[in-house]
Amino acid sequence: MASLKDMRVRIAATKATQKITKAMQMVAASKLRRAQAAAEAARPYAEHMDTVLRSIAASVAGLDSAPALLRGTGSDRVHLLLVCTAERGLCGPFNSAIVRLVRDYTNKLMAEGKEVKIFCVGKKGYEQLRRQYERNIIEHIELRSVRTIGFTNAEAIAHKITDLYEKGAFDVCTLFFSRFKSVIAQIPTGQQIIPPVFEANGNGGAAASYEYEPDEEEILAELLPRNLAVQIFRALLENNASFYGAQMSAMDNATRNAGEMIRKQTLTYNRTRQAMITKELIEIISGAEAL
Amino acid sequence: MATFQFNLVSPEKLLLSGPVDQVDVPGSEGDFGVLAGHAPFVATLRPGILTVHREGGSMRIVVSGGFAEVSDAGLTVLADIAVPVEDVSRESFAGFVQEAEEAAAKAPEGVQRDKLSLRAAQLKELQATLAT
């Protein structure tokens, strides 16, 4: 049995751990607030972009001259999965949930005989996917050194993707990230970004009477890569907010577990201590009686 | 004077939103003014100064490119970067221009290069306007 001293050390260690998890929780909470504000601030741009793109796309739909980014390559043999995860762990099932979704999707595509390529953003997703799909991963980017995610980061990624697309490296691109629903709920989501999918809405036909300057094609040629960057930017921001949300609840759990552990350890410690005192007393008394 | 809804958004945030009298926009093929009741219209922007006229005065904003969309709902400008003229620092803008010039010089001969050098030229012009 562990000596009393060992137990005291043990309790002190658990208390130290609890202090760390508590601090991490508080840091995550304050960062979450900022990340959430950033994600919300980016929303109007993405929404407006979507409306503009949707109305232009409606007017060029079906034309042969429509850019490849909008039209697609006409096949869906090679899939590129753009997987956005966090750079750090200690956030509960956050990274694993995204990876699980990607894994299911990959297996499904492979079963259909399609080729799958994976582009990882974030270290954790890369580490987890590497075990199983080493051959499929064509690129990975780490954003560890980036303090606050700016639009330029997303643009750089979008640029790489369009380059790959123009070289004919893939036909369909799907973006994976975790959508931020609330502090306790983050939903891993897959969203097809090339060719873009527009959800059907009722007033799509009415807005088709725009005038363009310069012409539609030139505008589209600029708009589409930018839309890609905006989608990625939004995904990164949502991911960031989700990450802090997940980390916060994970650390909250850890703090509570540590508290529970301290309670149990203290109980055993006190029991052992009392047992020893009792034993000593018995020894003294029985010694005195023997005289 | 009739007003219309104007939204100025950048990827990071919504910068301006509200009723305005008139907006002068630096389009890639020439400046254009938007008043209430403008026909539906989509245009790309060049780096330049966007002027907003509204009740209680006007406001000048430097934009670095993007899109403008006019619809029944009003005017929406999707700018890459948008900063009020008063807040633009000369030094950082000079750095910006230099970057564009270097990018243009580095790009391979062709359409890409033409585009980049056009952008650099437009930025320079804007710089000259800002200096006065």
Side-chain angles (χ1 to χ4, degrees):
Chain A
M1 204 170 97
S3 76
L4 281 181
K5 195 184 170 216
D6 287 342
M7 289 174 102
R8 268 201 301 274
V9 172
R10 193 76 194 277
I11 292 170
T14 320
K15 274 187 181 155
T17 312
Q18 190 189 30
K19 263 184 207 150
I20 294 172
T21 57
K22 181 96 198 158
M24 279 182 84
Q25 185 206 339
M26 279 180 331
V27 171
S30 81
K31 285 197 173 166
L32 170 69
R33 221 166 302 135
R34 226 174 306 146
Q36 206 177 339
E40 265 158 29
R43 223 163 265 171
Y45 190 90
E47 275 165 14
H48 283 122
M49 179 67 106
D50 200 52
T51 353
V52 176
L53 193 61
R54 195 191 299 262
S55 56
I56 303 181
S59 73
V60 296
L63 293 179
D64 286 341
S65 57
L69 272 175
L70 181 69
R71 194 160 35 92
T73 53
S75 94
D76 63 341
R77 208 180 57 76
V78 187
H79 283 250
L80 179 77
L81 312 183
L82 180 63
V83 185
C84 303
T85 52
E87 294 297 336
R88 261 160 294 185
L90 293 178
C91 51
F94 174 77
N95 290 312
S96 318
I98 301 174
V99 168
R100 194 180 319 125
L101 185 72
V102 172
R103 199 175 289 146
D104 290 348
Y105 193 72
T106 313
N107 292 341
K108 197 186 109 214
L109 286 176
M110 281 176 164
E112 287 170 15
K114 303 222 159 55
E115 196 183 324
V116 178
K117 291 178 179 176
I118 300 175
F119 188 129
C120 289
V121 180
K123 187 170 143 226
K124 286 289 160 186
Y126 174 65
E127 281 171 356
Q128 291 192 20
L129 285 168
R130 194 174 48 179
R131 282 180 225 145
Q132 206 176 341
Y133 304 110
E134 173 95 69
R135 290 174 295 112
N136 302 71
I137 295 177
I138 51 167
E139 179 122 32
H140 87 279
I141 294 185
E142 287 185 17
L143 296 171
R144 178 147 228 172
S145 52
V146 180
R147 287 183 64 93
T148 45
I149 296 165
F151 189 57
T152 39
N153 301 117
E155 255 181 337
I157 298 169
H159 200 72
K160 282 193 176 164
I161 302 251
T162 39
D163 270 358
L164 283 170
Y165 188 67
E166 274 158 18
K167 280 188 212 138
F170 65 92
D171 299 314
V172 179
C173 178
T174 313
L175 173 66
F176 287 91
F177 65 101
S178 192
R179 204 148 50 78
F180 183 81
K181 196 176 167 212
S182 73
V183 179
I184 45 161
Q186 298 89 29
I187 308 159
T189 320
Q191 180 194 2
Q192 187 177 321
I193 49 173
I194 299 176
V197 186
F198 298 109
E199 288 142 31
N201 72 339
N203 56 18
S209 55
Y210 279 103
E211 274 176 53
Y212 299 96
E213 180 187 305
D215 52 28
E216 283 125 310
E217 280 149 43
E218 251 175 86
I219 291 190
L220 265 184
E222 268 203 50
L223 199 58
L224 286 168
R226 194 178 306 259
N227 180 52
L228 196 64
V230 169
Q231 297 291 351
I232 295 172
F233 184 54
R234 206 189 56 144
L236 290 178
L237 288 178
E238 293 249 344
N239 230 4
N240 205 22
S242 301
F243 168 74
Y244 286 121
Q247 184 170 54
M248 201 176 102
S249 42
M251 285 303 122
D252 186 40
N253 260 338
T255 311
R256 224 171 306 133
N257 286 345
E260 177 74 5
M261 237 163 121
I262 292 170
R263 202 184 59 80
K264 278 189 188 151
Q265 282 169 354
T266 319
L267 195 68
T268 350
Y269 169 73
N270 283 336
R271 283 222 181 109
T272 325
R273 192 172 55 92
Q274 256 181 338
M276 274 176 83
I277 294 167
T278 319
K279 205 176 86 195
E280 263 172 44
L281 276 177
I282 291 171
E283 272 165 14
I284 294 166
I285 293 166
S286 49
E289 270 175 2
L291 284 176
Chain B
M1 198 168 171
T3 58
F4 63 99
Q5 178 67 27
F6 170 61
N7 296 314
L8 176 63
V9 288
S10 79
E12 270 102 5
K13 59 178 194 258
L14 180 68
L15 292 157
L16 205 66
S17 176
V20 293
D21 295 326
Q22 183 189 342
V23 183
D24 297 329
V25 186
S28 56
E29 308 206 325
D31 291 8
F32 59 89
V34 179
L35 291 161
H38 197 290
F41 181 61
V42 176
T44 51
L45 307 184
R46 68 179 155 79
I49 296 173
L50 184 130
T51 318
V52 183
H53 302 277
R54 58 177 175 187
E55 217 175 331
S58 67
M59 197 177 163
R60 280 148 46 92
I61 298 162
V62 174
V63 292
S64 72
F67 298 89
E69 185 220 9
V70 187
S71 68
D72 299 343
L75 168 68
T76 305
V77 173
L78 303 172
D80 301 348
I81 302 172
V83 187
V85 169
E86 306 84 59
D87 299 346
V88 177
S89 98
R90 293 274 158 78
E91 294 88 55
S92 64
F93 196 83
F96 204 57
V97 173
Q98 200 179 351
E99 244 173 60
E101 277 176 339
E102 278 166 15
K106 260 194 283 177
E109 206 77 36
V111 182
Q112 191 62 29
R113 185 176 194 162
D114 293 348
K115 244 188 215 165
L116 286 170
S117 44
L118 176 66
R119 187 178 160 78
Q122 285 168 339
L123 280 170
K124 254 196 160 158
E125 195 189 315
L126 176 57
Q127 190 180 26
T129 325
L130 283 175
T132 53

